[in-house]
Amino acid sequence: MPTGSRTDPLVSYHFHVEIDGISQAQFKECSGLESTSEIIEYKEANKDSVTVVRKQPGALKYSDIVLKRGITDIMELWDWRKKVEQGKIDEARKNGSIVMYSQGDQEIARWNFVEGWPSKISGPQAKADSNEVAIEEMTMAPEGLERVS
């Protein structure tokens, strides 16, 4: 006899990345959806003079988001990185989302990032004896990340 509804976990391949102003970017992999607080430890003595280590949250940090895709002739990501190289960081900052979908194409989970900029981009590794898709990788440094659904 069922006691509640069942929710299946999402499959990792069914996702989309949205980046303000970038329309031609499909990715095969996305990682780094992470929020971390540094831990501040301090010692205090309780009423029995026993030393206790207390832990408090410190600075809030967001991990870099790493995106990988098969290389194409579309230059939007490289052009975006070029703005950082030219010192145009205010132009380079973009907002966006990483969205995961159910098998039925319904949006299930969304992480919004703010003020992200490409801190690194790397081209593919060329190998004459391989028939794998050539992959380029971009690392983006966001200033905020929130799961909104």
Side-chain angles (χ1 to χ4, degrees):
M1 173 188 247
T3 59
S5 64
R6 176 179 150 170
T7 302
D8 289 330
L10 299 175
V11 292
S12 64
Y13 70 85
H14 206 126
F15 73 98
H16 182 72
V17 178
E18 301 170 356
I19 303 171
D20 287 345
I22 299 195
S23 60
Q24 297 291 324
Q26 300 292 321
F27 298 96
K28 75 174 232 93
E29 189 174 324
C30 173
S31 61
L33 303 177
E34 189 174 301
S35 166
T36 306
S37 293
E38 291 180 358
I39 299 170
I40 299 171
E41 292 185 352
Y42 68 95
K43 295 178 183 178
E44 66 181 23
N46 65 16
K47 65 180 178 163
D48 300 321
S49 298
V50 175
T51 302
V52 178
V53 176
R54 300 284 185 189
K55 296 181 181 184
Q56 295 290 321
L60 177 61
K61 297 185 335 182
Y62 301 100
S63 294
D64 290 343
I65 296 172
V66 178
L67 301 168
K68 296 180 182 180
R69 72 178 191 157
I71 193 166
T72 68
D73 61 349
I74 298 166
M75 296 289 295
E76 283 183 306
L77 295 179
W78 289 87
D79 293 341
W80 185 23
R81 172 67 188 150
K82 189 74 148 176
K83 289 181 189 226
V84 175
E85 293 170 356
Q86 295 169 340
K88 301 176 183 175
I89 189 65
D90 288 339
E91 287 182 40
R93 293 182 189 280
K94 296 187 180 291
N95 300 329
S97 300
I98 292 86
V99 185
M100 295 195 79
Y101 298 91
S102 69
Q103 295 283 37
D105 289 331
Q106 300 295 315
E107 181 177 315
I108 301 297
R110 176 181 287 264
W111 292 262
N112 291 339
F113 64 86
V114 295
E115 301 290 313
W117 53 275
S119 62
K120 176 183 174 183
I121 193 163
S122 54
Q125 295 181 357
K127 292 171 51 177
D129 64 345
S130 175
N131 63 354
E132 297 174 359
V133 171
I135 303 296
E136 64 183 357
E137 180 178 311
M138 184 187 72
T139 302
M140 181 178 46
E143 291 191 357
L145 178 72
E146 179 183 17
R147 181 168 176 188
V148 294
S149 65

